[in-house]
Amino acid sequence: MQVQDTPEEWRVVATTTPFTGNKTSVRTDDVVMPDGSVVHRDYQVHPGSVAVVALDEQDRVVLLKQYRHPVRQKLWEIPAGLLDVPGENPLHAAQRELYEEAHVKAEDWRVLADVYTTPGGCDEAVRIFLARDLSEAEGDRFEVAEEEADMELARVPLTDLVRGVLAGELHNNCLVVGVLSLMAARTGDGLDALRPAEAPWPARPFAA
């Protein structure tokens, strides 16, 4: 038995958009169920995101701590951001986010994992990259504002992050998936067997 997600689309007989925000919106679809009944499904429409596990030569991961108002917590996270331009190459977006949030560049990029963050209520798709061979970016630091103006930066040993995830001390979705995927890749076929940075991404197709 091959365990693999498969594309499928049930028939939608009506759609409305009761809310449109700055970056996302809420959509209500009337979806036909297998028994022929029609039900309402409300969900957030999201442009998609990228995130980066940036691993340095001392086996530390670049992190930032940022206030997240919906959960009323400051969370340790890996650099991440929205795919602001439809069809944007996710690698280019990830490189931009690593520069803007951590003022770091990387020479070696791989795909760690592709995930849907909350598929029961949002269509957000995230591609999580592994970035290695790190160095400080050239030029001035990116000017931050709002929540990002209060960010803390740190480099934390990967083993400490794995322990923190399993202890229930770290909760950011991309950090959890990223660091556990990295450890799994190491104990499996190795990091060089990871997908290339330009691997196809059906959830958010892009031009090379």
Side-chain angles (χ1 to χ4, degrees), residues 98-150:
L98 185 60
Y99 161 72
E100 290 182 356
E101 295 192 340
H103 202 65
V104 167
K105 65 178 181 178
E107 299 301 324
D108 186 273
W109 291 81
R110 304 273 177 161
V111 175
L112 269 175
D114 297 326
V115 296
Y116 292 113
T117 54
T118 48
C122 179
D123 71 351
E124 181 183 13
V126 181
R127 169 156 281 189
I128 304 174
F129 290 91
L130 171 64
R132 293 179 291 172
D133 194 4
L134 307 183
S135 60
E136 186 170 356
E138 295 91 0
D140 296 332
R141 286 187 172 271
F142 182 77
E143 187 173 340
V144 295
E146 299 174 347
E147 289 93 342
E148 292 183 350
D150 190 47

Side-chain angles (χ1 to χ4, degrees), residues 82-94 96 201 204-207:
L82 297 176
L83 291 168
D84 293 312
V85 181
E88 181 177 16
N89 187 309
L91 173 60
H92 300 165
R96 179 187 69 235
W201 190 19
R204 293 294 185 273
F206 62 92

Side-chain angles (χ1 to χ4, degrees), residues 117-190:
T117 54
T118 48
C122 179
D123 71 351
E124 181 183 13
V126 181
R127 169 156 281 189
I128 304 174
F129 290 91
L130 171 64
R132 293 179 291 172
D133 194 4
L134 307 183
S135 60
E136 186 170 356
E138 295 91 0
D140 296 332
R141 286 187 172 271
F142 182 77
E143 187 173 340
V144 295
E146 299 174 347
E147 289 93 342
E148 292 183 350
D150 190 47
M151 286 194 311
E152 302 172 46
L153 289 172
R155 295 195 182 196
V156 181
L158 177 62
T159 53
D160 289 354
L161 296 179
V162 173
R163 184 206 59 78
V165 168
L166 299 180
E169 299 167 356
L170 298 169
H171 307 91
N172 175 261
N173 172 295
C174 292
L175 183 152
V176 171
V177 173
V179 300
L180 296 185
S181 295
L182 175 53
M183 290 297 284
R186 277 185 167 172
T187 59
D189 294 333

Side-chain angles (χ1 to χ4, degrees), residues 1-8 114 116 195 200 202-203:
M1 176 182 176
Q2 185 177 19
V3 180
Q4 181 177 335
D5 298 335
T6 55
E8 183 167 345
D114 297 326
Y116 292 113
R195 287 174 291 159

Side-chain angles (χ1 to χ4, degrees), residues 11-23:
R11 188 161 66 96
V12 175
V13 294
T15 297
T16 59
T17 305
F19 171 79
T20 300
N22 185 32
K23 297 291 185 180

